[in-house]
Amino acid sequence: MVKMHPGAGPHDPQVVVLFGATGDLSRRKLLPGLFHITQEDNDLIPGCRIVGVSLDDMTREEFVQFTHDAVHEFYSRELDHSEWDEFDDWLDYIPVSAGPEALAAAVARAETQLGEGVRRLHYLSVPPKSALDAITMLRDANLIERSRVIMEKPFGTDLESAVKLNEQVHNIFAEDQVFRIDHFLGKEPALNILAFRFGNGLFEPIWNRNFISHVQIDVPETLGIEQRAGFYENTGAYRDMVVTHLFQIMAFIAMEAPTALEPNAIREEKNKVFRSMQMIDPSDVVRGQYSGYRSVDGVDPESDTETFVALKVNIDNWRWAGVPFFLRTGKRMPEGQRIVSIAFHEPPQSMFPANSGIGTQGPDHLTFDLADSAKMSLSFYGKRPGPGMQLDKQSLQFAMHDTGLAGDVFEAYERLILDAMKGDHTLFTTAQGIERLWELSQTLLDSPTPVRKYEPDSWGPNAIHQLIAPHAWRLPFEREWRDPNVTGE
């Protein structure tokens, strides 16, 4: 069992009310994550009880079995069965049909077990159309005081719906009680971007338009829509991934140094990035749909929902004027990746002889791999050993596994749940920020570009190459990440 860092969790006991407790996200991530962070050996939470809420009409015993199966299948660490024997006593379940009175009674029982000073965390792992029903049930159960609420993406589908949803939420919860979650920002590598930028005097001075040519944020996925047709048909890749995930990562790359490493200062710098962004121009967007999507059950045979999107974003401020940010994500692509690639300007003039190799493999890049393994690479040209002046692309690489600390990495949902319990908004989106992003997107949403077909296991429609020209997409990589356990490379 990994020993967590002191102070990583809240000071108060917690009652977690988990809406959508029998859903796929709960089964794969939330219940295993709650099991992990509530273990005594982690010393993170002084006490916790979990009340599952869902449409399924099941008993408490059936929910305990559901949770046991979820932890057994998806828990990412070695399972100590003695820990489970204690955890199952902390679980309760209320079907939505039982009403707010039954929910209030379940929370009251849990709070009595925990004693004084209990706080409540409500996690809404439900579709957007069901979020208000859950909030209303919490209000009717009188569970708003001493509480915080985590809301899953997407938060609205356009500016009008986002503004309306914020107003409805604020009728019940204050803004400082609301935590709009983006699991991308909970990943250790995303936080490493902040540490890398602001903890090193080497890179921050060159983090601007004078040295950086362009930036790519690339999140391809190998999966299709599977059983999510109903959700995806009304959402699409842009709403599902760009507004909620890729723009948030872009803000970490583009933000100015905050006045302090604390939530309000960081969120204000992110919001400044959003205020500096230019409106998304439909001519700078390529939408795609993989062949076969329209034959999926639940999909309109004439659907123009995009399963792929690539776009160019411009940030109109002194640091980034003239530096394009290229964003790409899509379903049914050859690789699943989460890559941020920062391309530096090439030298203004080459003194090297013709055919030396300089410039043939593109500019120098700083690359962040935002997968759970946390890797970074800095590429550069170096001389090939031997006579003459022949240059090859080389790289300096770092992986978290090299440090022996990979076992200390929090999973994204574990970190974000703990932050919400503490009231730490650093990695969550504000109402102001999300409304600004929908405002910037409105022209595209009103006049979307036509969807272009692409074949499964390809990198998207051919038009993406015109979008990024004269540059080139970094994926697929020409070179694999080096394996530190393999010598001789």
Side-chain angles (χ1 to χ4, degrees), residues 138-197:
L138 290 169
R139 180 199 63 192
D140 294 345
N142 197 27
L143 296 176
I144 306 305
E145 292 183 359
R146 296 182 282 113
S147 73
R148 300 178 175 113
V149 58
I150 296 178
M151 302 192 69
E152 274 286 345
K153 71 174 182 75
F155 201 84
T157 56
D158 55 19
L159 178 58
E160 181 181 0
S161 63
V163 170
K164 182 177 180 181
L165 182 55
N166 278 326
E167 289 176 349
Q168 292 170 323
V169 171
H170 290 158
N171 285 335
I172 299 175
F173 287 98
E175 174 64 15
D176 64 0
Q177 293 178 281
V178 182
F179 293 76
R180 300 169 188 82
I181 196 168
D182 171 17
H183 71 273
F184 273 43
L185 294 188
K187 293 180 178 294
E188 195 77 29
L191 295 172
N192 241 333
I193 294 175
L194 293 185
F196 189 88
R197 281 195 61 188

Side-chain angles (χ1 to χ4, degrees), residues 35 38-39 48-51 60-61 63-65 67-68 81-93 106 109-111 113-114:
F35 172 75
T38 55
Q39 297 308 304
C48 186
R49 297 294 185 272
I50 298 165
V51 181
R60 177 193 175 276
E61 290 70 25
F63 179 63
V64 169
Q65 185 62 49
T67 304
H68 177 272
H81 291 280
S82 64
E83 296 167 343
W84 170 261
D85 292 339
E86 183 179 37
F87 183 73
D88 68 1
D89 292 332
W90 300 349
L91 300 170
D92 202 349
Y93 182 79
R109 288 194 299 271
E111 291 182 344
Q113 295 169 4
L114 291 170

Side-chain angles (χ1 to χ4, degrees), residues 137-352:
M137 187 173 182
L138 290 169
R139 180 199 63 192
D140 294 345
N142 197 27
L143 296 176
I144 306 305
E145 292 183 359
R146 296 182 282 113
S147 73
R148 300 178 175 113
V149 58
I150 296 178
M151 302 192 69
E152 274 286 345
K153 71 174 182 75
F155 201 84
T157 56
D158 55 19
L159 178 58
E160 181 181 0
S161 63
V163 170
K164 182 177 180 181
L165 182 55
N166 278 326
E167 289 176 349
Q168 292 170 323
V169 171
H170 290 158
N171 285 335
I172 299 175
F173 287 98
E175 174 64 15
D176 64 0
Q177 293 178 281
V178 182
F179 293 76
R180 300 169 188 82
I181 196 168
D182 171 17
H183 71 273
F184 273 43
L185 294 188
K187 293 180 178 294
E188 195 77 29
L191 295 172
N192 241 333
I193 294 175
L194 293 185
F196 189 88
R197 281 195 61 188
F198 302 123
N200 297 292
L202 177 61
F203 289 99
E204 178 55 26
I206 62 173
W207 210 268
N208 56 60
R209 59 186 174 84
N210 295 322
F211 297 92
I212 293 176
S213 164
H214 65 282
V215 178
Q216 295 180 36
I217 302 175
D218 220 338
V219 186
E221 299 178 290
T222 57
L223 296 175
I225 62 168
E226 272 56 59
Q227 307 303 316
R228 304 173 69 214
F231 165 80
Y232 210 83
E233 266 291 89
N234 296 314
T235 307
Y238 185 85
R239 289 180 171 93
D240 184 39
M241 291 292 293
V242 176
V243 175
T244 336
H245 294 321
L246 274 62
F247 282 160
Q248 304 300 324
I249 293 294
M250 187 186 73
F252 266 23
I253 297 293
M255 63 187 277
E256 298 294 327
T259 56
L261 196 65
E262 59 90 23
N264 288 337
I266 292 175
R267 292 197 303 166
E268 173 56 22
E269 295 306 331
K270 285 178 59 183
N271 284 341
K272 284 181 182 178
V273 172
F274 300 148
R275 290 196 292 270
S276 298
M277 287 171 58
Q278 296 181 352
M279 293 288 290
I280 304 301
D281 187 339
S283 65
D284 289 333
V285 179
V286 175
R287 298 168 68 236
Q289 185 184 96
Y290 66 79
S291 297
Y293 171 77
R294 294 180 180 180
S295 62
V296 174
D297 288 343
V299 172
D300 185 338
E302 298 182 359
S303 172
D304 66 350
T305 298
E306 78 280 358
T307 62
F308 170 97
V309 64
L311 64 153
K312 179 170 70 174
V313 178
N314 296 298
I315 300 175
D316 191 15
N317 60 23
W318 277 38
R319 182 182 290 267
W320 297 112
V323 179
F325 286 71
F326 297 100
L327 282 55
R328 176 173 64 166
T329 186
K331 301 288 188 183
R332 296 295 305 274
M333 306 194 78
E335 300 174 19
Q337 297 276 5
R338 296 182 179 95
I339 296 292
V340 175
S341 188
I342 297 166
F344 294 98
H345 287 300
E346 298 188 61
Q349 184 174 0
S350 176
M351 65 180 185
F352 296 97

